[in-house]
Short mmCIF file of all heavy atoms in Angstrom, two decimals:
data_model
loop_
_atom_site.label_atom_id
_atom_site.label_comp_id
_atom_site.label_asym_id
_atom_site.label_seq_id
_atom_site.Cartn_x
_atom_site.Cartn_y
_atom_site.Cartn_z
N ASP A 81 -23.16 -49.30 102.52
CA ASP A 81 -21.88 -48.71 102.92
C ASP A 81 -20.70 -49.61 102.61
O ASP A 81 -19.55 -49.15 102.64
CB ASP A 81 -21.91 -48.41 104.43
CG ASP A 81 -22.91 -47.31 104.77
OD1 ASP A 81 -23.20 -46.51 103.86
OD2 ASP A 81 -23.38 -47.28 105.92
N GLU A 82 -20.95 -50.90 102.33
CA GLU A 82 -19.83 -51.81 102.07
C GLU A 82 -19.10 -51.45 100.76
O GLU A 82 -17.88 -51.62 100.66
CB GLU A 82 -20.34 -53.24 102.01
CG GLU A 82 -20.92 -53.73 103.32
CD GLU A 82 -21.41 -55.16 103.22
OE1 GLU A 82 -21.25 -55.76 102.11
OE2 GLU A 82 -21.93 -55.69 104.21
N LEU A 83 -19.83 -50.99 99.75
CA LEU A 83 -19.22 -50.65 98.46
C LEU A 83 -20.02 -49.54 97.81
O LEU A 83 -21.17 -49.73 97.43
CB LEU A 83 -19.19 -51.88 97.53
CG LEU A 83 -18.63 -51.62 96.12
CD1 LEU A 83 -17.17 -51.19 96.21
CD2 LEU A 83 -18.78 -52.87 95.25
N ARG A 84 -19.41 -48.37 97.68
CA ARG A 84 -20.04 -47.25 97.04
C ARG A 84 -19.73 -47.31 95.53
O ARG A 84 -18.59 -47.25 95.10
CB ARG A 84 -19.53 -45.93 97.62
CG ARG A 84 -20.02 -45.69 99.05
CD ARG A 84 -21.53 -45.62 99.07
NE ARG A 84 -22.07 -45.51 100.43
CZ ARG A 84 -23.35 -45.58 100.72
NH1 ARG A 84 -24.22 -45.78 99.75
NH2 ARG A 84 -23.76 -45.45 101.95
N VAL A 85 -20.80 -47.42 94.73
CA VAL A 85 -20.65 -47.62 93.28
C VAL A 85 -20.72 -46.30 92.52
O VAL A 85 -20.05 -46.12 91.49
CB VAL A 85 -21.74 -48.58 92.77
CG1 VAL A 85 -21.63 -48.76 91.26
CG2 VAL A 85 -21.62 -49.93 93.48
N VAL A 86 -21.50 -45.35 93.02
CA VAL A 86 -21.70 -44.09 92.29
C VAL A 86 -20.39 -43.37 91.97
O VAL A 86 -20.24 -42.83 90.87
CB VAL A 86 -22.66 -43.17 93.08
CG1 VAL A 86 -22.68 -41.76 92.46
CG2 VAL A 86 -24.06 -43.75 93.09
N PRO A 87 -19.39 -43.31 92.88
CA PRO A 87 -18.13 -42.62 92.53
C PRO A 87 -17.42 -43.18 91.30
O PRO A 87 -16.60 -42.48 90.70
CB PRO A 87 -17.28 -42.82 93.79
CG PRO A 87 -18.27 -42.92 94.91
CD PRO A 87 -19.41 -43.70 94.31
N LEU A 88 -17.75 -44.43 90.93
CA LEU A 88 -17.12 -45.01 89.75
C LEU A 88 -17.57 -44.33 88.45
O LEU A 88 -16.95 -44.53 87.40
CB LEU A 88 -17.44 -46.51 89.67
CG LEU A 88 -16.91 -47.38 90.82
CD1 LEU A 88 -17.32 -48.82 90.62
CD2 LEU A 88 -15.40 -47.27 90.91
N LEU A 89 -18.62 -43.52 88.53
CA LEU A 89 -19.08 -42.80 87.35
C LEU A 89 -18.07 -41.79 86.84
O LEU A 89 -18.23 -41.25 85.73
CB LEU A 89 -20.40 -42.09 87.66
CG LEU A 89 -21.66 -42.97 87.78
CD1 LEU A 89 -22.83 -42.15 88.31
CD2 LEU A 89 -22.00 -43.58 86.43
N VAL A 90 -17.02 -41.50 87.62
CA VAL A 90 -16.04 -40.49 87.19
C VAL A 90 -15.30 -40.93 85.93
O VAL A 90 -14.66 -40.09 85.26
CB VAL A 90 -15.03 -40.21 88.32
CG1 VAL A 90 -15.71 -39.58 89.51
CG2 VAL A 90 -14.28 -41.48 88.72
N VAL A 91 -15.36 -42.22 85.56
CA VAL A 91 -14.66 -42.68 84.35
C VAL A 91 -15.46 -42.35 83.09
O VAL A 91 -14.91 -42.42 81.98
CB VAL A 91 -14.38 -44.20 84.42
CG1 VAL A 91 -13.58 -44.54 85.65
CG2 VAL A 91 -15.69 -45.00 84.38
N VAL A 92 -16.74 -41.99 83.24
CA VAL A 92 -17.59 -41.76 82.07
C VAL A 92 -17.10 -40.58 81.22
O VAL A 92 -17.03 -40.69 79.99
CB VAL A 92 -19.06 -41.58 82.50
CG1 VAL A 92 -19.92 -41.22 81.30
CG2 VAL A 92 -19.56 -42.85 83.16
N PRO A 93 -16.75 -39.41 81.81
CA PRO A 93 -16.24 -38.33 80.95
C PRO A 93 -15.02 -38.71 80.14
O PRO A 93 -14.86 -38.27 78.99
CB PRO A 93 -15.92 -37.21 81.96
CG PRO A 93 -16.83 -37.48 83.11
CD PRO A 93 -16.90 -38.98 83.20
N ALA A 94 -14.14 -39.53 80.71
CA ALA A 94 -12.96 -39.98 79.96
C ALA A 94 -13.36 -40.83 78.76
O ALA A 94 -12.77 -40.72 77.69
CB ALA A 94 -12.03 -40.75 80.88
N LEU A 95 -14.38 -41.67 78.94
CA LEU A 95 -14.85 -42.50 77.83
C LEU A 95 -15.51 -41.65 76.75
O LEU A 95 -15.28 -41.86 75.55
CB LEU A 95 -15.84 -43.55 78.35
CG LEU A 95 -15.27 -44.59 79.33
CD1 LEU A 95 -16.39 -45.50 79.83
CD2 LEU A 95 -14.17 -45.41 78.67
N VAL A 96 -16.30 -40.67 77.17
CA VAL A 96 -16.98 -39.81 76.20
C VAL A 96 -15.98 -38.95 75.43
O VAL A 96 -16.18 -38.63 74.26
CB VAL A 96 -18.02 -38.92 76.91
CG1 VAL A 96 -18.65 -37.90 75.95
CG2 VAL A 96 -19.12 -39.78 77.53
N SER A 97 -14.86 -38.59 76.07
CA SER A 97 -13.86 -37.75 75.40
C SER A 97 -13.24 -38.42 74.19
O SER A 97 -12.68 -37.76 73.33
CB SER A 97 -12.76 -37.37 76.40
OG SER A 97 -11.95 -38.51 76.73
N VAL A 98 -13.36 -39.74 74.10
CA VAL A 98 -12.77 -40.47 72.98
C VAL A 98 -13.56 -40.26 71.70
O VAL A 98 -12.99 -40.22 70.60
CB VAL A 98 -12.68 -41.97 73.32
CG1 VAL A 98 -12.17 -42.76 72.12
CG2 VAL A 98 -11.79 -42.20 74.52
N PHE A 99 -14.89 -40.09 71.81
CA PHE A 99 -15.72 -39.98 70.60
C PHE A 99 -16.62 -38.76 70.59
O PHE A 99 -17.20 -38.42 69.56
CB PHE A 99 -16.59 -41.23 70.45
CG PHE A 99 -17.52 -41.48 71.60
CD1 PHE A 99 -18.75 -40.86 71.67
CD2 PHE A 99 -17.16 -42.33 72.64
CE1 PHE A 99 -19.61 -41.07 72.74
CE2 PHE A 99 -18.01 -42.56 73.71
CZ PHE A 99 -19.24 -41.93 73.76
N GLY A 100 -16.77 -38.08 71.71
CA GLY A 100 -17.70 -36.95 71.78
C GLY A 100 -17.05 -35.63 71.46
O GLY A 100 -15.83 -35.51 71.32
N THR A 101 -17.88 -34.60 71.32
CA THR A 101 -17.38 -33.24 71.13
C THR A 101 -17.05 -32.65 72.50
O THR A 101 -17.36 -33.22 73.55
CB THR A 101 -18.44 -32.38 70.44
OG1 THR A 101 -19.57 -32.25 71.31
CG2 THR A 101 -18.87 -32.99 69.12
N ILE A 102 -16.43 -31.46 72.46
CA ILE A 102 -16.09 -30.80 73.73
C ILE A 102 -17.36 -30.45 74.50
O ILE A 102 -17.43 -30.65 75.71
CB ILE A 102 -15.26 -29.53 73.46
CG1 ILE A 102 -13.92 -29.90 72.84
CG2 ILE A 102 -15.05 -28.73 74.74
CD1 ILE A 102 -13.05 -28.72 72.50
N ARG A 103 -18.36 -29.95 73.80
CA ARG A 103 -19.60 -29.59 74.47
C ARG A 103 -20.27 -30.80 75.08
O ARG A 103 -20.79 -30.75 76.20
CB ARG A 103 -20.53 -28.89 73.48
CG ARG A 103 -21.81 -28.36 74.10
CD ARG A 103 -22.59 -27.52 73.12
NE ARG A 103 -21.82 -26.33 72.73
CZ ARG A 103 -22.23 -25.45 71.83
NH1 ARG A 103 -23.40 -25.61 71.22
NH2 ARG A 103 -21.48 -24.41 71.54
N GLN A 104 -20.27 -31.91 74.38
CA GLN A 104 -20.85 -33.13 74.95
C GLN A 104 -20.07 -33.59 76.17
O GLN A 104 -20.65 -34.00 77.18
CB GLN A 104 -20.87 -34.23 73.89
CG GLN A 104 -21.91 -34.03 72.80
CD GLN A 104 -21.86 -35.11 71.75
OE1 GLN A 104 -20.82 -35.72 71.50
NE2 GLN A 104 -23.00 -35.38 71.10
N THR A 105 -18.74 -33.54 76.08
CA THR A 105 -17.91 -33.98 77.20
C THR A 105 -18.11 -33.09 78.41
O THR A 105 -18.17 -33.57 79.55
CB THR A 105 -16.43 -34.00 76.79
OG1 THR A 105 -16.27 -34.77 75.60
CG2 THR A 105 -15.57 -34.62 77.88
N VAL A 106 -18.21 -31.77 78.17
CA VAL A 106 -18.46 -30.85 79.29
C VAL A 106 -19.82 -31.14 79.92
O VAL A 106 -19.96 -31.14 81.16
CB VAL A 106 -18.40 -29.39 78.78
CG1 VAL A 106 -18.92 -28.43 79.85
CG2 VAL A 106 -16.98 -29.02 78.40
N GLY A 107 -20.84 -31.39 79.10
CA GLY A 107 -22.15 -31.70 79.63
C GLY A 107 -22.15 -32.97 80.47
O GLY A 107 -22.74 -33.01 81.57
N VAL A 108 -21.48 -34.00 79.97
CA VAL A 108 -21.39 -35.26 80.73
C VAL A 108 -20.61 -35.05 82.02
O VAL A 108 -21.00 -35.56 83.09
CB VAL A 108 -20.74 -36.35 79.85
CG1 VAL A 108 -20.43 -37.59 80.69
CG2 VAL A 108 -21.65 -36.71 78.68
#
Side-chain angles (χ1 to χ4, degrees):
D81 294 335
E82 296 180 2
L83 177 63
R84 290 299 175 188
V85 178
V86 170
L88 297 179
L89 287 171
V90 295
V91 303
V92 175
L95 296 176
V96 174
S97 70
V98 175
F99 59 85
T101 65
I102 295 179
R103 185 172 297 177
Q104 287 178 332
T105 307
V106 169
V108 171

